[in-house]
Amino acid sequence: MKDMEKSITLIGLPGCGKTTVGNLLSDKLNYEFIDMDFYIEDNQGKTIIELFKNGEDYFRNIETETCKELGERSKTIISSGGGVVKKRINIEYLKKNSIVVFIDRPVENILGDIEVEKRPLLANGKEVLYKLYDERYDLYKEYCDYRVENTGSLEEVVNKIAKVVNK
């Protein structure tokens, strides 16, 4: 498939800007936008928090099935869940028809504006974000096709992504 038709999947820590940037990028490129967590909630009829009550493995298996589905789409901006990199197969499914962009935002910036109560994995305190960073940062770098720093304005991040994926 031509790159012009490929989807763009955004990966990164919770609060790095995947959903916000994804919405703006979809407007700019005239692509469909899907937030993977909302997509899962709609399909399962339960919130992510409710699904996590059955255990993280239960949720991750649903996430993998979702990656398989979304990996077939074209011309879609996909805002992945922060833990999508925990299973290599997820990225393999997504890369089938998607350019993977890591939105790299410093933890300190995230902590400055994140709403912890809306993030199931961060419910135990903000220090969890540092733990997630340590666990996942190298995976984000390994699995991405492009790494874009989110340290400026949202418009700058959107334009950087559009530029690196040649859209």
Side-chain angles (χ1 to χ4, degrees):
M1 179 168 292
K2 300 187 313 245
D3 271 0
M4 296 299 285
E5 311 255 315
K6 282 195 166 200
S7 292
I8 299 168
T9 298
L10 305 176
I11 63 172
L13 285 169
C16 74
K18 296 181 299 283
T19 300
T20 304
V21 169
N23 264 311
L24 295 168
L25 191 60
S26 73
D27 289 345
K28 181 180 179 76
L29 302 179
N30 201 23
Y31 275 28
E32 184 180 355
F33 174 75
I34 294 177
D35 179 292
M36 194 179 289
D37 285 349
F38 294 142
Y39 185 87
I40 289 171
E41 288 179 344
D42 286 347
N43 285 345
Q44 297 295 314
K46 293 183 176 169
T47 66
I48 299 299
I49 292 169
E50 289 170 330
L51 294 170
F52 258 86
K53 286 180 181 167
N54 292 313
E56 187 174 352
D57 286 347
Y58 176 81
F59 172 76
R60 296 293 171 205
N61 290 334
I62 293 169
E63 186 176 56
T64 297
E65 284 306 307
T66 303
C67 289
K68 187 175 183 180
E69 260 176 62
L70 296 181
E72 301 293 329
R73 299 180 84 97
S74 59
K75 295 182 83 170
T76 303
I77 306 295
I78 301 164
S79 168
S80 74
V84 75
V85 293
K86 292 182 78 169
K87 291 170 80 175
R88 179 180 291 273
I89 190 73
N90 293 347
I91 300 299
E92 289 170 7
Y93 284 139
L94 291 167
K95 281 196 172 193
K96 218 173 183 179
N97 191 36
S98 189
I99 299 163
V100 177
V101 177
F102 168 30
I103 299 179
D104 190 355
R105 186 172 185 216
V107 174
E108 293 73 25
N109 295 22
I110 295 171
L111 290 174
D113 62 19
I114 195 169
E115 292 182 53
V116 174
E117 61 278 357
K118 293 186 179 173
R119 311 282 179 159
L121 286 177
L122 303 184
N124 297 326
K126 291 183 175 184
E127 64 280 352
V128 173
L129 197 57
Y130 287 101
K131 184 173 175 270
L132 294 178
Y133 176 90
D134 291 342
E135 280 175 11
R136 300 175 181 175
Y137 190 79
D138 289 338
L139 294 173
Y140 293 137
K141 286 196 313 192
E142 177 186 342
Y143 293 145
C144 73
D145 297 308
Y146 299 100
R147 182 180 146 270
V148 173
E149 286 189 8
N150 179 3
T151 53
S153 71
L154 289 170
E155 187 180 357
E156 286 172 335
V157 179
V158 169
N159 289 336
K160 281 185 209 171
I161 294 170
K163 187 176 180 186
V164 297
V165 298
N166 297 314
K167 302 281 183 207

